[in-house]
Amino acid sequence: MSAEKLLEIRGLYKNFGSLKVLKGVSCDIARGEKVVIIGASGSGKSTMLRCMNLLENPTFGEIWLEGRLLTPVDPYLHNDIIRASRTYRRLSAREGADDEALIKKIRAEDLLHERNEGRDYAALMRRFYGDNYMDTDSARARIGMVFQHFNLFNNLTVMENLTLAPVRLKRKTKEEAEEKGHELLKRIGLDDKADVYPSTLSGGQKQRVAIVRSLAMDPQVILFDEPTSALDPEMVGEVLELMKALADAGMTMCVVTHEMGFAREVADRVLFMADGTILESGTPAEVFDSPKNPRTRQFLEAVL
Amino acid sequence: MESLGYSLLIALGAVVIGFIIGVAMAVIRISPKTNPVMRALDRFAVLYITVIRGTPTLVQLLILYNSVLVSFKSMSTNLLVPIIAFGINSGAYMAEIIRSGICSIDVGQMEAGRSLGLSWLTTMRRVIIPQAIKVVVPAMFNEIIILVKETSVVSYIVLKVGSRQKYDLLGMAEKQGLATPACYLAFLFTAAALYLAVVMLLTFVQHHIERKLKKNER
């Protein structure tokens, strides 16, 4: 795993009961990269974003942040783990097929079951996990998230919203956090609102505060889940402006949005999702101007 | 007047115990059941709430008085018996009230807390419960009012303070009524009026708190 990749999603599946929402999604996000995910509702784009900071637990697949594993080990993604399994040895002795074909077969037919495997296999899984994992709360502290419905803490003032997590998680003292808080609020022109409660703010103001709340944790990457979809039209602009400013400052961002103008202007890479898979991936020019997949073309015609 | 004091003391103690039990049980009921310990605690909470809500307060008081709390009963001051009994009783109702409050808070609040790296418990304590408390103030006062009146059930047991027998509000009315049967009704009406006065005072406090909490948001 090269240091270049900040966030890595490998073979992600997510089922809600019998509903298969993600069907094997893989993608990397490099440090400083801005990735915009587009697609129709129900295509799995929000679910994928929510899996990235484990608000949803992936059914299969792995997520890596800065070379550390956030999810349990998915044995099918690691050939050496498959090779260490009893199933592999048994099939190899019986069928004697070559390595690659065996691995492919085990993966495709979901043949690894922890109960059937030996102690070596379990130890390997444990060792692999132990060597690589990052616990969920530390991961989330490094991954900012901005929600469609802002989700500011209603019982806390704007300033308390910004300082709660950094202070509770001992990233900063109360004084440092408040100093940083004022600095962030000045940046969005809302320093005079530091001591009011979120219910007095407009939608656009709430979302801008929510964005700087995630910044207060000095995240490595920020995930945006349809950040402008719940806003009145006249407030969309101010939020997009702030996001552009963040992008220009070099923040790594992953944005699920219906704002195609924003995607075209800011994205380094646009992903088009449909039916729980990434159908198309490329620069904004590639995806918007000459989409290869007919589904992409259809979608773009409908929204543009 | 002294008897009114005992009634209120018992109610106050029970509210405090009930509230602590209620918050704890509500949090246990609502928490994600990820490990066996939490599942066991949850089953205990369900059992507790079912049994307490399913049996009469008087029966609970008498059972506790005559068995579990028998060592408190024999102490020279046995006020702890009704306080604990009513506390345990009220805790079950408060647990459900607080749980309903927690459930009414948008899941986005918890998600926001978790997405910042805060633990489930920290988010619960700092964000969810303060908001839930606000929602449940009316239902909570309902429970407190019921509790104040229900303390009249202690007239079934012998209250002792410093080895001397004491009476709660209803107990005192009964005692006076036995002494002067002609005025029995008058004593009962006096007790009723005093309960009513306390409840009206509580209602006033409730409205005051509601107003204050509302102002906090603006």
Side-chain angles (χ1 to χ4, degrees):
Chain A
M1 236 144 295
S2 77
E4 182 76 63
K5 294 174 189 165
L6 180 63
L7 197 62
E8 196 178 342
I9 296 155
R10 304 180 63 188
L12 204 65
Y13 287 80
K14 175 67 187 176
N15 303 340
F16 290 108
S18 62
L19 185 69
K20 294 178 166 61
V21 178
L22 293 178
K23 304 170 189 166
V25 176
S26 297
C27 98
D28 301 334
I29 298 175
R31 197 177 289 282
E33 195 180 17
K34 291 95 183 111
V35 176
V36 172
I37 306 173
I38 58 171
S41 59
S43 59
K45 53 195 194 316
S46 277
T47 305
M48 171 164 146
L49 201 74
R50 290 166 57 83
C51 281
M52 288 187 205
N53 70 351
L54 306 178
L55 283 181
E56 306 289 354
N57 283 319
T59 311
F60 301 109
E62 293 177 352
I63 294 169
W64 296 73
L65 176 71
E66 298 175 307
R68 298 261 132 204
L69 181 63
L70 309 190
T71 53
V73 183
D74 183 344
Y76 297 110
L77 294 174
H78 304 280
N79 290 352
D80 42 344
I81 293 179
I82 296 182
R83 284 192 202 104
S85 70
R86 255 182 210 168
T87 310
Y88 177 88
R89 269 174 293 165
R90 206 183 53 233
L91 287 178
S92 154
R94 181 150 32 115
E95 298 177 13
D98 72 308
D99 178 67
E100 208 170 302
L102 269 182
I103 288 175
K104 203 176 266 174
K105 178 184 162 79
I106 288 172
R107 195 177 287 151
E109 297 178 19
D110 190 10
L111 295 175
L112 292 183
H113 296 283
E114 202 133 349
R115 266 170 292 136
N116 308 335
E117 297 300 337
R119 216 172 289 156
D120 291 353
Y121 171 84
L124 187 64
M125 288 269 278
R126 254 202 314 279
R127 187 151 17 93
F128 186 87
Y129 183 70
D131 288 346
N132 292 295
Y133 87 103
M134 181 193 289
D135 74 274
T136 302
D137 283 345
S138 327
R140 285 175 175 154
R142 280 161 224 254
I143 304 176
M145 176 109 184
V146 174
F147 299 87
Q148 181 175 359
H149 296 287
F150 332 128
N151 296 352
L152 292 177
F153 303 132
N154 297 322
N155 60 318
L156 302 177
T157 63
V158 166
M159 181 54 78
E160 288 165 346
N161 264 276
L162 300 192
T163 57
L164 177 67
V167 175
R168 293 293 309 177
L169 298 173
K170 302 200 169 28
R171 294 301 177 89
K172 296 188 174 77
T173 65
K174 191 158 182 289
E175 290 71 33
E176 287 167 355
E178 283 183 357
E179 195 181 320
K180 169 103 182 183
H182 282 299
E183 185 191 310
L184 288 167
L185 288 176
K186 279 197 191 102
R187 208 153 116 194
I188 57 172
L190 290 177
D191 199 28
D192 56 325
K193 302 279 189 190
D195 298 319
V196 307
Y197 287 87
S199 57
T200 61
L201 301 178
S202 73
Q205 290 173 331
K206 280 182 193 166
Q207 193 60 299
R208 287 186 290 145
V209 170
I211 291 172
V212 294
R213 177 177 68 179
S214 75
L215 284 177
M217 285 296 290
D218 301 317
Q220 303 296 312
V221 50
I222 303 186
L223 313 175
F224 294 83
D225 188 6
E226 304 202 25
T228 57
S229 299
L231 293 175
D232 289 341
E234 76 269 23
M235 291 170 182
V236 170
E238 61 189 76
V239 170
L240 291 182
E241 276 314 308
L242 176 59
M243 289 169 64
K244 276 177 207 160
L246 280 183
D248 291 340
M251 177 58 75
T252 312
M253 295 162 66
C254 184
V255 186
V256 168
T257 188
H258 295 291
E259 294 290 334
M260 298 303 154
F262 175 84
R264 191 185 273 274
E265 190 178 337
V266 174
D268 296 315
R269 191 148 50 99
V270 175
L271 307 179
F272 173 72
M273 285 188 73
D275 296 333
T277 55
I278 296 173
L279 281 189
E280 189 146 357
S281 160
T283 64
E286 285 166 2
V287 174
F288 287 119
D289 300 333
S290 48
K292 294 183 195 75
N293 195 299
R295 293 281 298 273
T296 319
R297 220 170 299 140
Q298 215 172 16
F299 173 77
L300 288 173
E301 269 163 25
V303 297
L304 287 178
Chain B
M1 255 345 212
E2 195 194 9
S3 58
L4 174 64
Y6 288 124
S7 283
L8 292 183
L9 182 65
I10 292 167
L12 180 70
V15 166
V16 172
I17 294 175
F19 187 72
I20 294 168
I21 295 178
V23 171
M25 292 295 153
V27 169
I28 289 170
R29 290 283 287 118
I30 223 99
S31 64
K33 315 292 178 293
T34 42
N35 60 54
V37 180
M38 286 315 296
R39 274 195 292 276
L41 280 174
D42 183 59
R43 272 200 293 276
F44 169 76
V46 171
L47 179 72
Y48 162 74
I49 292 168
T50 309
V51 169
I52 295 297
R53 292 203 308 176
T55 53
T57 315
L58 177 56
V59 177
Q60 291 164 16
L61 176 69
L62 290 176
I63 288 175
L64 287 174
Y65 183 64
N66 290 305
S67 60
V68 187
L69 299 179
V70 82
S71 57
F72 287 115
K73 173 189 173 184
S74 53
M75 287 195 316
S76 59
T77 301
N78 68 356
L79 278 177
L80 269 179
V81 174
I83 288 177
I84 293 175
F86 285 112
I88 291 175
N89 174 268
S90 191
Y93 293 94
M94 290 198 187
E96 288 296 279
I97 291 171
I98 293 167
R99 191 170 70 90
S100 76
I102 293 174
C103 288
S104 75
I105 304 301
D106 180 24
V107 292
Q109 297 283 312
M110 177 55 82
E111 288 186 348
R114 299 310 304 277
S115 79
L116 288 165
L118 296 171
S119 68
W120 184 87
L121 205 59
T122 305
T123 313
M124 214 23 132
R125 212 156 53 92
R126 293 301 177 120
V127 178
I128 310 292
I129 290 183
Q131 294 184 49
I133 295 290
K134 200 172 295 185
V135 175
V136 300
V137 164
M140 206 53 137
F141 268 87
N142 209 13
E143 169 59 21
I144 293 172
I145 286 169
I146 290 173
L147 182 61
V148 166
K149 292 181 296 177
E150 217 165 39
T151 57
S152 59
V153 161
V154 293
S155 53
Y156 272 86
I157 64 173
V158 178
L159 279 187
K160 285 180 296 181
V161 176
S163 297
R164 303 245 299 273
Q165 187 176 2
K166 297 289 180 186
Y167 298 90
D168 78 304
L169 193 47
L170 179 62
M172 182 56 86
E174 297 250 302
K175 184 187 162 210
Q176 305 276 14
L178 282 177
T180 37
C183 302
Y184 188 34
L185 259 186
F187 288 123
L188 286 179
F189 271 112
T190 311
L194 285 171
Y195 279 120
L196 181 62
V198 170
V199 169
M200 284 171 71
L201 185 72
L202 280 171
T203 311
F204 175 76
V205 171
Q206 175 192 346
H207 290 157
H208 182 72
I209 290 177
E210 280 178 27
R211 260 200 311 279
K212 216 170 143 198
L213 286 177
K214 213 169 262 171
K215 217 184 299 170
N216 255 351
E217 294 276 278
R218 295 284 125 194

